[in-house]
Structure formats: structure tokens, C-alpha cells
Amino acid sequence: MSVLFSLMAHSLVIMCLCLLLLQVKRWGKYWPIGYAIAAIVMVLPVSHWLVIEFSRGLLGDLSFACILMLATYLLTIMKTDRTSNASSFNGLVILMAVVLYPTSLGFGQFDMYSIGFASSGYYNYLVTAIAGIGIIAWYLGYAQIAIWLTLSVLAHGLNLFESNNLWNYLLDPLVVIACLVSVIIKASKLVLKKSKSRAHNGGSNVQSNA
Amino acid sequence: MIVGAVLSLNHERFTDPVFYMGADELIESQAPFYVQEDASDGMTKSVHSSTAVSLPNGNLLAMWYGGTREGHTDVNIYASVFDRKTQQWQKSKPILDRYQVADDLDRYIKKVGNPTLIRHPAGPLVLAYVTVSMAGWASSQVNMMVSYDDGQSWHASKHLVTSPFLNISTLVKNDMVIYQDGTIGITAYHELIGQFSEIIRVDLNGQVINKYRISSGAETIQPSIAVLDNKNAVAYMRDTSKDVQKVRRSVTSDGGLTWSPYESTMLDNPNSSVFAFIDSKDRSWLILNNAKKHVEHALDNGGHQSRGNLALAVSMDQGVNWKIVHYFEKAQEIKETGKESKFSYPWVTVGENGEFNLFYTWNRKVIKHIRFNQAWLEEKA
């Protein structure tokens, strides 16, 4: 069962990548052809493997943060006002990465990753904290976070993928990179907007002085 | 969310680790005994990373990986049986290639390597090995197979998820440990950015239960664990640092749940694998390359060879003080022979009769097998 779910997640990766490269948004009424091409690419045999098996070999099972991000992208790709990651989602993913990754790379004797296994003494605290954040996020209206955390905990509870570790369901490096890029783009846009507005205000002042 | 949390909190829990000691092997012969032979038979141009286990009928099952060269896509894992009656190694045969693993795991596999074997007290043989799908060895992942007929057939591979980074950079090399509840501690190490040692605890179904960190930082890999009793063990690790270059040592007194900060032993280590074992008199023994300089190739170091010998060291105080007592291999300096020699990746398994069996890579061409007994060790100690 985990193979099926995993390959479905990788079909999302290939689909999104193909649609992005094909710029299917510009195809107008021919957009279904773009989707059909992407669907064919997914199951193209290359050597001994299908393209989605290559993707699974290279990336492993994807986290639900990544799946949610890809699904959102896929569902809104044809829209003019495409939905992007909420800042709160970006922030929480990056915060979790900052907490998880350094110790997993060998900084210090304590391994944050190990507390994601049920037999760890801290596992109950992790599950409770994630569930608590999810419920609070829903209550406060941060839907993307609430959906992400709910799906992650539920999938982990059902052992949907190969991993027994809750962290693998929550985040992966791909979504962390995507969130970092999203934050950088948003920050750049904000800086650009502010500098434009300052230039505009400065220009107005000059005119008024004149 | 509540349903998910309840399901997650109901996952199976395992108690803290307690080492399984097993029964002491019966020692048959008391006359010193030492025999050397080749376990591999030249089926492939290159061989490396041997492992072995004793079978209930007294035979030995050895495995290694072989192919055109290390990391090549044509590398397979080979197996051979040492027949105790005929005292001969049988013809080796490939038991695992990347296509078979790919079919088992439903994903792309680029190469296979580093098999490690153990016989579980409940009967089955457990094989842990690495696969690479992305780049070099640092992106390895660990897999596990089980055989219930002493290696004649193997169940499909299970993929172990052990890392939050696309599950890459967990490798295996040395002997596993068994816990009292029947779970298995795969001695592993990490090579991406940090280089450190850890234990991956799994059950016979290939479910990862937990991970225990032996060391942290960026200079200790390939742990070899000498279990002293149910709670105490010592880990000896290969030193990957550029300055100290000593065999590193760490101890546990809680079954491997926590480990002391690692320290340097008096033994030199030119960034090469070591293997520890305990004899029937509770002495600690270590197989190692007794050389100083860190060089991958001897020619870079004025002809001094970092893996040009294979030594045996003994310790009476659980690895604090050591004495080199024997050289299984000792090549001449390269300036004298014009050839570089490499003896690496030692592995020791104890046979049903208490005999010690050392396996190692000889110049990447042959897997050597040396048999010796307790009496021979007594002479050396």
C-alpha cells in the first residue's frame, strides 16, 4: 500500500514539473493536451524503470508539506491568481527545519530526528505538540498549516509510507527549499514595492516643490 | 487531527535496549591453529567489503560485493559457503544485483554495496546492505533482507527510512548487535556533512524502531561494537579527521541507548575500517591498519602505505591500553616494490566450534579468509 501512495505522490512531482516546463497555462483551450503529455511522461520507461520510479529512487517518500504544496500548485496552475504558500506555512516549515536538521547532521549528541520514532521517550510530546499546533492553527484560521499537520499525523498514524518516523511525514528538504525560495521572493517583492513607493513619494515631493 | 494523533500514539513501543549475549561457543581444539585461504574465486575484477556468519551445520556463509570496480553499476553482492567437511570454499554466486533490489523496492537503484550479515538467535539470517540512487556513497540508504533457510533463499528487501534528508546518507559496514527482545541493532554511520556513528534498531520485519547516536561531529564512522555484557559495550570507530588519526572509542552502560563522548585510543588509524571482537577470556581484540598518515594513495605520501598492513591488537582493559601482537599482512614499502598494497575492511565471525574467522579485502582483488583459534590468540596475548 505504501508503494501506491508513494508513487502517487511522485506522479504529482512529475506532473507539476512537466506542466511548469510546458508552460501549459499559456496553451488556452489546449490545456488538456499538456496534462496528457505529463501523464504519459510519468510512466515512460527509461532503462529498467518508469520515470516515477526514478523520482522515488532519487527523492524517497515525500512529506505531506511537499504533497500539499504540489497539490495546491496543480489545482491552481490554470488560474490567473495562483495560490502560493501562506507566510505562516513557510515560517513553520523553516522553523521545523531549523529545529530538526542541524542535530540530524551530527551537531551534538542529541538527535532530534530520533524523537519521531514511537519508542523514543519524547515521542508523545512531539505528537501532542504537532496536534496542538494543528488545532490552534485551524482555530486561528491558518488553514494550510492545519491541513498539512492533520494529514501528516493521520498518515503517520496509518503508516501510509515506509517511514515509522513522524518527521518524514511532516517535512523534507524539497519543501524547505521551496519555502525558503518563497520567503525570498516575497521579501524581494516587498523591498521592491517599498523602494518603488519611496521613489514615487520622492518624485511627488519634487513635483510639489517645483 | 485527533484521530491521527490517537493512531500515532498507539504505534508499537519497544523497551529500552538490553544486549543479548548468547551462549559461549564450545572450544574444541586447544592446539594453536592458523590457516589462510581465499574466500573469493576471481569471479569479478574487483571485490570489497566482506561479511560472514556461521551456519548451524558448522559451515560459513560469506558475502562481499564485486564487479568491474567499486560503485560500478555492474556490482553484485556475491555469496560463498565454506564447507566445514571438505575445508573448501564453494564457487561464489551472485545473490543480489541492483535490478533485483529495484524490483523489491519499486524504485531506481544505481548501485549496491557493503553487505553485513548476522545470525539471529531465533534462526533467520539477517543481511543489511546499502544502495545508492542519487550520487556517491554519502547518499547511501540501508536495506535489509531475511533468510529462513540459512541463505539459500532470501525474502524481498525492506527499505529502512533512517534520515530526514530524502533518506540519504546512512551506511553500514560492521557487525550488528542483537537485543534481548529479539530486535536488531544495525551499526551504521552517516557521511553527509557530519560524519558520525549510530545504531539503527529494527525488528525482523524491517521496521525501524529507533536510532541511538554513538558519536556526533565529523570524524568517527564505521563503528565496531564489542558487547561486554547485557548493558555494557565499547564502540571502536574509524577516524576520518585530518589531525588526530587514532582509533576512536566510546562506551555505553545502558545497552547502547546513550554513549560517552568519544576519545582517542593509543592506536593509529589512517582513516580505515577497524573490527573488534572479544575472545573467550574476555580480552578485547582489534583488527586494524596500523599506520599513521592519512593518505588515500600511498604514492601521495612518499611511498608509505596507509593500508599496507593489517594488524592484530589486544587489550586487557576493555580498550583503554593496546598492544600490537601480530601482523596478518605487512607489505614492503612501495619504494621497494613499486606496487601499492591495500588490506582493508576486516570482519571477524566466530564459528560453531569457537574458531575465529577473519575476512578482509586483499588489494581489492581477493577476499582473504584466515582461521585461527583461542589457543593461537593465547600465544599472541
Side-chain angles (χ1 to χ4, degrees):
Chain A
M1 187 64 89
S2 69
V3 175
L4 181 69
F5 283 112
S6 177
L7 290 176
M8 279 167 65
H10 283 282
S11 66
L12 259 183
V13 176
I14 304 300
M15 181 72 90
C16 288
L17 199 62
C18 287
L19 297 181
L20 183 71
L21 292 173
L22 292 171
Q23 288 292 299
V24 80
K25 198 175 165 180
R26 298 178 183 177
W27 288 26
K29 63 178 182 180
Y30 299 109
W31 65 267
I33 298 172
Y35 276 75
I37 293 170
I40 291 166
V41 168
M42 275 193 285
V43 290
L44 275 181
V46 181
S47 181
H48 184 78
W49 295 273
L50 305 179
V51 169
I52 49 171
E53 288 179 318
F54 262 102
S55 177
R56 189 172 187 228
L58 294 175
L59 305 176
D61 290 344
L62 301 175
S63 70
F64 273 83
C66 194
I67 292 169
L68 184 64
M69 193 181 69
L70 292 169
T72 308
Y73 178 80
L74 194 66
L75 291 173
T76 60
I77 196 169
M78 300 303 291
K79 292 185 181 173
T80 46
D81 55 338
R82 197 165 54 76
T83 311
S84 60
N85 287 347
S87 297
S88 54
F89 176 81
N90 288 335
L92 189 56
V93 168
I94 293 167
L95 180 68
M96 279 193 187
V98 168
V99 169
L100 175 65
Y101 288 166
T103 62
S104 305
L105 286 169
F107 292 99
Q109 197 68 11
F110 180 73
D111 181 8
M112 186 59 79
Y113 179 71
S114 70
I115 73 169
F117 291 111
S119 294
S120 163
Y122 299 99
Y123 175 74
N124 289 354
Y125 299 115
L126 180 66
V127 174
T128 308
I130 298 297
I133 294 169
I135 290 165
I136 291 167
W138 185 257
Y139 181 73
L140 295 176
Y142 297 114
Q144 198 177 5
I145 290 179
I147 294 168
W148 158 42
L149 297 183
T150 303
L151 289 176
S152 302
V153 174
L154 193 60
H156 176 248
L158 294 168
N159 276 324
L160 213 59
F161 291 152
E162 283 175 331
S163 177
N164 289 336
N165 191 304
L166 179 56
W167 287 113
N168 291 113
Y169 291 81
L170 286 166
L171 74 162
D172 60 54
L174 296 182
V175 76
V176 174
I177 291 166
C179 288
L180 281 170
V181 169
S182 176
V183 166
I184 290 166
I185 289 171
K186 279 183 181 177
S188 307
K189 278 182 180 170
L190 198 70
V191 169
L192 207 66
K193 197 177 167 184
K194 274 190 178 173
S195 63
K196 269 185 183 174
S197 144
R198 203 172 293 145
H200 179 71
N201 288 342
S204 305
N205 289 342
V206 169
Q207 277 178 348
S208 68
N209 287 341
Chain B
M1 176 58 87
I2 303 293
V3 174
V6 169
L7 288 170
S8 291
L9 290 171
N10 276 320
H11 276 204
E12 188 179 5
R13 313 288 174 109
F14 289 81
T15 53
D16 284 346
V18 179
F19 292 122
Y20 171 81
M21 294 300 294
D24 286 337
E25 306 289 350
L26 290 171
I27 299 166
E28 290 172 352
S29 164
Q30 285 305 317
F33 176 77
Y34 183 97
V35 177
Q36 180 173 326
E37 56 228 335
D38 295 348
S40 62
D41 50 11
M43 282 261 300
T44 55
K45 193 176 170 189
S46 169
V47 292
H48 194 36
S49 194
S50 52
T51 177
V53 70
S54 70
L55 301 176
N57 61 4
N59 291 348
L60 295 171
L61 172 67
M63 289 188 186
W64 58 86
Y65 72 79
T68 306
R69 59 174 164 75
E70 177 181 334
H72 196 278
T73 52
D74 69 3
V75 165
N76 293 340
I77 291 177
Y78 287 83
S80 183
V81 171
F82 180 75
D83 191 323
R84 183 65 60 190
K85 286 178 190 159
T86 62
Q87 298 283 295
Q88 295 279 323
W89 280 97
Q90 295 173 357
K91 188 172 165 52
S92 66
K93 55 183 179 185
I95 62 147
L96 198 63
D97 63 26
R98 68 183 187 127
Y99 297 109
Q100 186 188 331
V101 180
D103 288 343
D104 285 352
L105 303 179
D106 292 295
R107 75 196 70 204
Y108 165 67
I109 299 293
K110 187 177 163 190
K111 58 188 179 186
V112 296
N114 287 21
T116 63
L117 278 168
I118 195 166
R119 181 146 63 92
H120 193 276
L125 295 182
V126 178
L127 168 67
Y129 64 96
V130 302
T131 52
V132 172
S133 296
M134 195 180 279
W137 289 121
S139 65
S140 291
Q141 303 174 332
V142 184
N143 310 283
M144 181 177 142
M145 289 172 92
V146 176
S147 169
Y148 287 88
D149 55 9
D150 294 331
Q152 291 177 55
S153 64
W154 292 86
H155 286 223
S157 290
K158 293 280 288 187
H159 190 65
L160 309 183
V161 181
T162 58
S163 148
F165 305 99
L166 309 174
N167 193 30
I168 60 170
S169 203
T170 308
L171 299 91
V172 295
K173 152 64 184 90
N174 279 333
D175 206 2
M176 297 173 240
V177 293
I178 302 285
Y179 298 110
Q180 279 190 354
D181 62 1
T183 57
I184 302 156
I186 299 175
T187 55
Y189 58 103
H190 177 104
E191 277 198 344
L192 179 71
I193 303 177
Q195 294 183 322
F196 54 89
S197 298
E198 55 193 7
I199 295 176
I200 301 163
R201 190 176 174 193
V202 297
D203 64 16
L204 267 175
N205 298 318
Q207 295 295 314
V208 181
I209 294 164
N210 211 338
K211 278 174 75 175
Y212 308 122
R213 185 160 290 181
I214 299 173
S215 63
S216 58
E219 43 193 40
T220 49
I221 62 169
Q222 297 180 346
S224 179
I225 296 178
V227 176
L228 306 172
D229 58 41
N230 292 339
K231 286 285 183 182
N232 292 285
V234 185
Y236 301 96
M237 292 166 280
R238 167 177 171 174
D239 184 348
T240 59
S241 68
K242 290 196 167 62
D243 45 5
V244 180
Q245 295 292 306
K246 295 284 183 185
V247 173
R248 307 287 192 151
R249 175 182 180 271
S250 178
V251 298
T252 180
S253 56
D254 55 12
L257 189 65
T258 59
W259 293 80
S260 67
Y262 62 81
E263 58 195 35
S264 297
T265 67
M266 58 200 295
L267 295 168
D268 291 323
N269 182 250
N271 192 1
S272 65
S273 185
V274 300
F275 195 101
F277 63 98
I278 306 281
D279 71 5
S280 60
K281 301 277 176 68
D282 289 334
R283 298 185 195 91
S284 301
W285 298 84
L286 200 70
I287 315 276
L288 72 157
N289 296 119
N290 182 34
K292 280 187 165 70
K293 296 284 185 182
H294 167 73
V295 280
E296 190 62 31
H297 299 289
L299 292 171
D300 301 334
N301 192 34
H304 300 297
Q305 307 198 63
S306 63
R307 297 184 182 185
N309 68 57
L310 194 66
L312 175 68
V314 63
S315 171
M316 310 294 182
D317 52 11
Q318 298 176 357
V320 178
N321 293 291
W322 289 93
K323 184 173 67 170
I324 301 284
V325 293
H326 180 73
Y327 283 93
F328 296 104
E329 298 278 0
K330 198 167 188 179
Q332 291 179 301
E333 292 292 306
I334 196 166
K335 59 190 171 191
E336 294 167 29
T337 62
K339 279 195 290 188
E340 185 181 357
S341 297
K342 277 188 176 181
F343 314 111
S344 57
Y345 272 47
W347 178 283
V348 175
T349 191
V350 182
E352 291 292 302
N353 55 358
E355 201 172 273
F356 296 89
N357 296 271
L358 165 65
F359 296 83
Y360 59 94
T361 307
W362 188 89
N363 286 321
R364 296 287 176 121
K365 290 177 182 162
V366 178
I367 299 299
K368 288 279 182 189
H369 173 210
I370 295 177
R371 289 183 284 148
F372 50 88
N373 60 1
Q374 179 70 31
W376 183 83
L377 284 177
E378 299 289 343
E379 279 190 347
K380 297 296 172 186

